[in-house]
Every structure is written in C-alpha cells, then in structure tokens.
C-alpha cells in the first residue's frame, strides 16, 4: 500500500515532496510527524481503511477527496501532536471540523479493529512474561507492573466540579495500566475522574474483582523454598495496597537490610510501567497536554486508542521506539500517593520474596 | 458498639481500652496522651494502623493487620498515638482526628516515583471518598463492592455525574456509569440503558442475558422484559425490536384485555401515527412490580393498529437518557406506569 498524497497545498504533500528544510522545526522525517514508521502506518491503514472509506467522503480545503490513508495520517497527526484542530487542519490542508470528524472516525474504527492489540496474556504468553520479568532483577513469577497516571483537563466553570479535581487541585482523568516487561499495556482502566486515587481506581476495576475471586493471576505457582510457593502477582508502587497478588515496596525510613535490596529490585522491575506511561504521553501528546474542555465521554476512548497505537508499535517491532528516550516521569507535578492497606498474606509473601532474593541472588 | 467482657476491666474506660487492644496498666491515661500528643519525630511509618475508611471493606477480604509485623504488643509511641486518636474518634466522632496522622505522615514519608524530588501525598481518610459501588443485575459492570451500606445516604441529594469508563478486563470494555457524590460519599451505578457497549465479541449484555436465561429483576425492582432484544441503532447504543405489523384479531383483543386489566393507561392517537409525519412508533413502557410484561402486551396491541415499525423500549433502558420535558407521563387516577410517545426521529430519544 502506498501513501497517497493528493492535496496540492497540504502539509502532507510537503512531507513527501518538499525537502526537509521546508518543514517547520526540522521535521524532516515521516516518523517525526506521525510517530510511526511507514511500515506501521501501512499496517494501521490496513486495519481501518474499510471503515474510513465508508460514509460521506471528506475533502481537503481545495476540494480533493481524502483517501483512507490521508485520513489515517490526519488522525495520527492530531493524536501525536496534540495540537488544536485548527493547527492540525492548517498543517494538513483541511478544515478543522474535518480533522475532528476524521479523528473520531479513526478512534471508533481502531476501537473495533485494533482491540486485539491490548489483551491479557494467555498462559503460554504469560510464561514468557514471567521469564522476562525475572531476568530484570530476579523476581520470580511476576506477571506485570501496575501504575496510574493523570490526563489533565481544562474544564469550563460549569463542569469544574470537585469530582474531577484531583489531590493536586488539577482537573484530570485517571488512567490505570498494567504493563508487561516490553512496556506493552495489558490491561487499562480509564474514564474515572481525577478525585479517585490509585487504590479506588484499582478497587473499582474488573481486574481487582477477578483477582479477588481467583480468576486472574491464578496460574502456576513457583516454589521458593521448602514448603513455600509464590503465586502469580503484579508489582505496584506505594499508592496501591499490599495484597497477595499485588506486591508493593516496604514503606518508611526504617527499612533496612534485605528490605532495602528488595525495594531496589522492586523498583527496577516495576519501572516498566512508569516508562510505558511516560512513553505513551511523550509519543501521543494529545494525552500529555492539558486537554481543553474535552468531551469526557470521548476522552477515555481517545486514551484507549493511544494505548492501542502504543502497543501496535511494540507488536510490530517499529524502530521508532528505539529512538524514544527512556523516561519514567509521566505524572509531572503529582506527588507519590500512599496507601496503607495491607493484607497479611501479602505481607507474608513479600517477606518470603525478600528473603529469597536476599539468599539466592547477587545484589 | 459491642464491647466484650474483658477480665480485669473495671470500668467503661478500661473496657474500651481493652477492646482496642492495649493493656490497662501502662500509665497511658488521657492526660498522658494529651501531653504526648506530638508523636515521635521519626515514627516507623509502617507501624501505622491502616486507615479504616480505606480498608474495612468486607467484600475485598483484606485482612488488615499491623504493617510492621505480626505482634500488636510492640507498638511505638506513634502507634499509641494512632490508637488513642482512633479511640477518641470513636468516642466523640472527631472527624478531624485523621488530620494528626496526615500531618505526621506528610512530614515523614518520602519516596520517589514520578518526580526526581517528589513531594508526598499521604491521603488521609478524610481525603478519601467513602466509595460505594453497586453492580446492577449483570456481573459485567466492573464495579467493585461497596465499602459501606448504600441505604444511609439519599441518592437524590447527591450530585450526579455521568462518566464513560473503559475497562479492558470486561468483555464489553466500555460502560457508562453514574457517579452520585455528596461530600466524601460516592456511589457508582451502571447507567441505565448502557448495555450495548461494544467490546470483544460484540455481544451485547442483554442478548447475553437472554441467552443465559438470566433475565432477572434488577435491584430497582424493575424487571427487564424478555421481549426487549438488543439490536444496534445507528449509535449502537440501544436495544430495540421491530415488531411484525400483522396481528390476528384474537391476539389483539387479548392484548388489549390484558392491558385494561392491568389498569394501565393506553394513550394512542392513531391519526398521529399514520398521517405520514411519523416514521416509527416508539413504545416506552415503565414496568412496576408484576406488570413488567405489559410492555410486550402493549406492543402486541399496537402492532395491530398502526402500520409502522414499532420499537419497544423499556423505560429501564431509557430513563436516564430521555429529557423529562420530552416525555410527559400520562396519568389517570393519579397513577402512571406506562409512557407512550412516538417520534419521527428515534435518535432524539438516544441523545
């Protein structure tokens, strides 16, 4: 499939036909503008082109009909730059309302056609995930890392209720993600208002219920020492409760000895979740910038599609991810939340893990 | 509060202290407590008793214990402070009691995550909303168990906010919830009519229910009619059923009889429906108690009267989507349990 640039005056055409110097800010590469390689771009087009070809045809400002590939390019530009509809429209040579329509068509289509890129791993896949996590810092039987970030909103005064006001006095929407060692999102929850903290977001999630009922993270146990097995679990920071299936670090200043070492390994392993969220926001800036009066029913779906795009880049082995910086700061201006809820079985499990790592592994 | 009989407990204060798990003879009376109301500057944070508001949820089976270890007898002064704070809080309903802990925690805890030099946000019980969520009849809502009884807060006095939640662990990963909030009390409900969210497999909730034979009453006491099937309209959001127009006369009479016996008001101007200005008849019914089958009977009745496609929609499904000024209840003898309206644009209903 080729990318068809038909518009005589559009920025899309400039990308293809003009030299690098004609593009603003040195944006001389396809990947810089669309945040995906041509290979991945073509794959995305193959997913959604049928949907985008349906319905009324959309045209550029000079009257040319926009092909599905053009529409994908415009939608990707909108999601990756986070620029306003007007700026994206001007860049692509289409009316701002066309940008809005195309973006939403793209989101709806991706929800349906690309949702298989975000799923909880099956047993076979999980074995590989556990193995990769263990290779990081030796934590056995670990199935994922969980973290939460905030999508900051700017709300009109009539909607600016306390509900959307988080603990940093910003209006925001919550995104909770469980991530595998390749920084692939495996489970997300989003749409809840910013006033919900990490624990509440987790508690309202289906994942929590499934785990509590023993229907998730219920795979093969690993024997650490004689008479003690460790079940499947995920790692989370101090904003989450300590549970038999969710291991958090030791808290407090008095932590010492093997517990310090455990916390170090714990952080090194769970940092993939922070990096994934940081990369998500860095790559798809529509969820990084302060959203100006968003439709709060559409925003979760946009966030989901950004997560899908994030996973597609990983699944396709897109080289663009190699050029992204490995930051783990995804929630700038937000303090670490603290949750004091602990489960006694979670405590026992953490102690055993800590002891095991202390005894068996080099620092 | 039930206080068990403690051997050696002579008065109410002793019993109270014993019930809270600390010895009677340690010199820690109220005066001492007040004198030492500034806890040690460096308490072991992990020795805190977990905040009850967060954790005392029977549904999630969290067995909360002292996080520093397994013995409750080796508490440091900071822990004693917490205990006394809890006791006084219990006794005098001191809502601000958690302020002490919050202030102390915010001083003592530092641990980085999202910033190189993060400030600590130690959420106290006061800052955490009392969260209560309830599943509807379905089990796919993805809403966690409630943390306290719903019945103690009048939902009508709460602010109401609709949200769209994505949860990829649910087969229908998109759902619409309603958050009722009053101060720190939250309630979450599945939004009515929110049963056709797209998701993996694309099977709607109601269709699934029908397939599984789980057509039970919801917690509102309002049944979901078995005749309400889930189809996609343009928004794929609502369920509708197009009913065949032809109907035997006997069936029509029987249906009408059924309606009359039920005491419902039948409100239909046939001319309105067949003057060409109306494309479709939407029958919205509101079942109460044992009358949940009346909606189907109504549709059966109408299909013999008008040559229009008829959509039968349970009020249960549209109650929250329809503007109150669009649908006016027709009443007779002060009783209204059936609403009938028709639109040339069914989409008006679903906005």
């Amino acid at each position: 499939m080729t990318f068809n640039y038909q518009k005589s005056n559009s920025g899309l055409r400039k990308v293809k036909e003009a030299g690098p110097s004609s593009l603003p800010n040195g944006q001389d590469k396809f990947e810089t503008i669309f945040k995906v390689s041509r290979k991945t771009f073509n794959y995305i087009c193959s997913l959604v082109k049928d949907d985008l070809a349906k319905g009324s045809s959309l045209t550029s400002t000079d009257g040319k009909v926009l092909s599905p590939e053009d529409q994908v390019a415009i939608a990707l530009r909108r999601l990756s730059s986070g620029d306003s509809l007007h700026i994206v429209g001007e860049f692509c040579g289409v009316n701002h309302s066309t940008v809005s329509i195309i973006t939403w068509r793209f989101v709806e289509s991706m929800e349906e056609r690309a949702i298989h890129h975000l799923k909880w791993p099956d047993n076979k896949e999980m074995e590989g995930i556990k193995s990769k996590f263990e290779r990081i810092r030796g934590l056995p039987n670990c199935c994922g890392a969980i973290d939460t970030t905030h999508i900051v909103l700017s709300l009109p005064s009539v909607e600016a209720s306390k509900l959307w006001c988080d603990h940093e006095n910003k209006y925001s929407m919550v995104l909770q993600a469980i991530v595998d060692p390749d920084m692939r999102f495996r489970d997300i929850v989003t749409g809840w208002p910013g006033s919900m903290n990490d624990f509440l977001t987790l508690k309202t999630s289906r994942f929590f219920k499934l785990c509590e009922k023993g229907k998730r993270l219920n795979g093969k146990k690993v024997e650490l020492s004689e008479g003690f097995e460790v079940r499947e679990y995920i790692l989370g920071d101090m904003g989450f409760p300590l549970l038999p299936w969710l291991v958090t670090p030791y808290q407090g200043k008095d932590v010492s000895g093997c517990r310090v070492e455990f916390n170090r390994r714990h952080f090194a392993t769970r940092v993939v979740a922070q990096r994934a969220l940081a990369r998500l926001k860095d790559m798809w800036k529509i969820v990084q910038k302060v959203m100006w009066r968003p439709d709060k029913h559409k925003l979760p779906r946009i966030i989901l599609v950004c997560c899908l795009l994030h996973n597609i880049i990983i699944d396709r082995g897109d080289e663009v991810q190699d050029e992204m910086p490995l930051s783990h700061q995804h929630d700038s201006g937000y303090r670490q939340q603290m949750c004091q809820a602990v489960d006694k079985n979670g405590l026992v499990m953490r102690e055993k893990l800590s002891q095991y790592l202390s005894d068996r592994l080099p620092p | 509060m039930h206080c068990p009989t403690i051997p050696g407990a002579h008065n109410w204060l002793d019993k109270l202290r014993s019930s809270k798990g600390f010895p009677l003879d340690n010199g820690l009376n109220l005066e001492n407590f007040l004198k030492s109301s500034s806890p040690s500057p460096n308490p072991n944070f992990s020795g805190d008793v977990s905040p009850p508001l967060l954790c005392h949820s029977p549904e999630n089976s969290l067995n909360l214990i002292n996080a520093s270890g397994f013995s409750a007898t080796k508490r440091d002064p900071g822990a004693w402070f917490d205990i006394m704070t809890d006791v006084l809080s219990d006794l005098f309903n001191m809502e601000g009691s958690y302020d002490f802990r919050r202030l102390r925690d915010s001083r003592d805890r530092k641990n980085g995550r999202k910033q190189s030099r993060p400030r600590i946000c130690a959420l106290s019980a006061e800052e955490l909303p009392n969260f209560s969520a309830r599943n509807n009849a379905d089990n796919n809502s993805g809403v966690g168990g409630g943390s306290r009884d719903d019945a103690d807060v009048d939902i009508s006095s709460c602010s109401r906010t609709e949200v769209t939640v994505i949860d990829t662990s649910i087969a229908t990963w998109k759902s619409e919830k309603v958050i009722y909030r009053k101060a720190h009390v939250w309630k979450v409900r599945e939004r009515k009519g929110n049963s056709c969210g797209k998701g993996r497999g694309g099977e709607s909730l109601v269709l699934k229910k029908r397939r599984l034979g789980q057509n039970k009453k919801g917690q509102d006491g309002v049944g979901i009619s078995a005749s309400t099937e889930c189809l996609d309209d343009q928004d794929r959001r609502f369920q509708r059923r197009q009913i065949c127009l032809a109907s035997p006369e006997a069936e029509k009479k029987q249906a009408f009889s059924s309606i009359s016996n039920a005491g419902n008001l039948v409100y239909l101007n046939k001319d309105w429906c067949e003057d060409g200005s109306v494309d479709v008849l939407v029958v919205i019914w509101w079942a109460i108690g044992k009358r949940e089958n009346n909606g189907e009977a109504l549709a059966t009745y109408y299909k013999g009267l008008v040559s229009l496609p008829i959509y039968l929609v349970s009020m249960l499904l549209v109650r929250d989507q329809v503007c109150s000024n669009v649908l006016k209840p027709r009443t007779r003898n002060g009783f209204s349990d059936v609403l009938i309206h028709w639109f040339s644009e069914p989409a008006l209903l679903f906005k």
Side-chain angles (χ1 to χ4, degrees), chain B residues 180-345:
Chain B
Y180 297 93
R181 188 171 190 254
K182 186 176 185 181
H184 295 293
V185 178
W186 288 28
K187 294 178 187 301
V188 175
R189 300 285 183 270
E190 197 80 16
R191 183 178 161 181
K192 300 296 189 301
N194 170 44
S195 51
C196 276
K198 288 184 287 186
R200 292 188 178 94
E203 185 177 32
S204 74
L205 213 54
V206 171
L207 277 180
K208 194 179 291 181
K209 273 190 201 170
R210 284 170 52 77
R211 182 170 57 77
L212 297 174
Q214 295 174 336
N215 190 22
K216 297 176 180 176
K217 283 188 177 183
Q219 293 194 9
D220 294 341
V222 181
I224 299 175
S225 167
S227 67
T228 310
E229 287 188 355
C230 183
L231 302 173
D232 284 352
D233 64 9
Q234 285 188 340
D235 283 333
R236 300 180 182 185
R237 291 172 60 195
F238 281 92
Q239 304 158 32
R240 63 192 189 188
R241 182 185 186 190
Q242 187 164 355
I243 298 172
C244 297
L245 301 180
S247 171
E249 189 64 21
E251 184 183 332
K252 187 167 59 182
K253 283 182 181 175
Q254 187 179 1
F256 183 79
S257 170
S258 168
I259 293 165
S260 299
N261 289 341
N264 294 312
L265 174 67
V266 177
Y267 190 93
L268 176 68
N269 184 333
K270 188 178 176 184
D271 293 335
W272 286 9
C273 298
E274 295 189 332
D275 63 1
S277 63
V278 177
D279 299 319
V280 62
L281 174 64
V282 179
V283 178
I284 301 163
W285 57 278
W286 194 343
I288 297 177
K290 295 180 179 178
R291 298 193 180 93
E292 59 259 40
N293 292 324
N294 292 346
E296 191 171 13
L298 268 176
T300 308
Y301 167 62
Y302 281 128
K303 72 184 179 184
L305 293 180
V306 295
S307 301
L308 288 171
I310 299 175
Y311 296 112
L312 173 62
V313 185
S314 164
M315 197 63 190
L316 186 67
L317 299 176
V318 296
R319 187 168 50 193
D320 293 320
Q321 281 73 44
V322 181
C323 297
S324 58
N325 59 348
V326 173
L327 289 174
K328 301 289 185 187
R330 316 286 178 179
T331 60
R332 186 179 68 176
N333 301 327
F335 179 71
S336 167
D337 62 358
V338 175
L339 303 178
I340 307 162
H341 214 89
W342 38 94
F343 298 86
S344 56
E345 287 289 333

Side-chain angles (χ1 to χ4, degrees), chain B residues 42-64:
Chain B
N42 185 23
N44 182 1
F45 161 69
S46 61
D48 284 346
V49 176
S50 301
L53 200 61
L54 256 179
C55 313
H56 290 178
S57 174
E59 291 86 352
N60 61 18
S61 306
L62 298 184
N63 303 313
L64 300 168

Side-chain angles (χ1 to χ4, degrees), chain A residues 133-152:
Chain A
F133 269 125
E134 188 162 8
R135 282 202 293 270
I136 295 174
R137 276 292 195 278
L139 281 160
N141 225 21
C142 175
C143 298
I146 187 171
D147 203 1
T148 303
T149 196
H150 295 83
I151 314 299
V152 183

Side-chain angles (χ1 to χ4, degrees), chain A residues 203-274:
Chain A
K203 194 180 168 189
T204 57
S205 69
R206 184 69 173 166
F207 182 85
F208 182 93
K209 293 188 78 175
L210 290 173
C211 290
E212 288 292 302
K213 289 178 181 174
K215 294 180 179 176
R216 187 156 287 181
L217 298 175
N218 57 351
K220 197 168 63 178
K221 295 180 179 178
V222 171
E223 185 169 350
L224 293 186
S225 57
E226 192 173 340
F228 182 77
E229 294 178 323
V230 62
R231 58 167 292 173
E232 290 184 341
Y233 60 93
I234 58 173
L235 301 176
D237 65 22
M238 289 177 282
F240 295 97
L242 175 61
L243 304 170
W245 50 268
L246 203 173
V247 178
T248 58
Y250 291 99
Q251 298 182 10
K253 282 187 172 180
D254 296 343
V255 173
S256 59
C258 64
R259 293 181 172 186
V260 173
E261 176 59 21
F262 175 84
N263 279 359
R264 202 169 61 80
R265 294 178 187 275
H266 188 283
F267 175 79
T269 310
R270 76 167 194 272
V271 77
V272 290
Q274 299 174 31

Side-chain angles (χ1 to χ4, degrees), chain A residues 118 147 187 204 237 251 334, chain B residues 45 113 115 128 142 169 200:
Chain A
L118 201 165
D147 203 1
D187 182 276
T204 57
D237 65 22
Q251 298 182 10
Y334 280 83
Chain B
F45 161 69
R113 176 178 67 153
Q115 304 165 69
L128 294 171
S169 283
R200 292 188 178 94

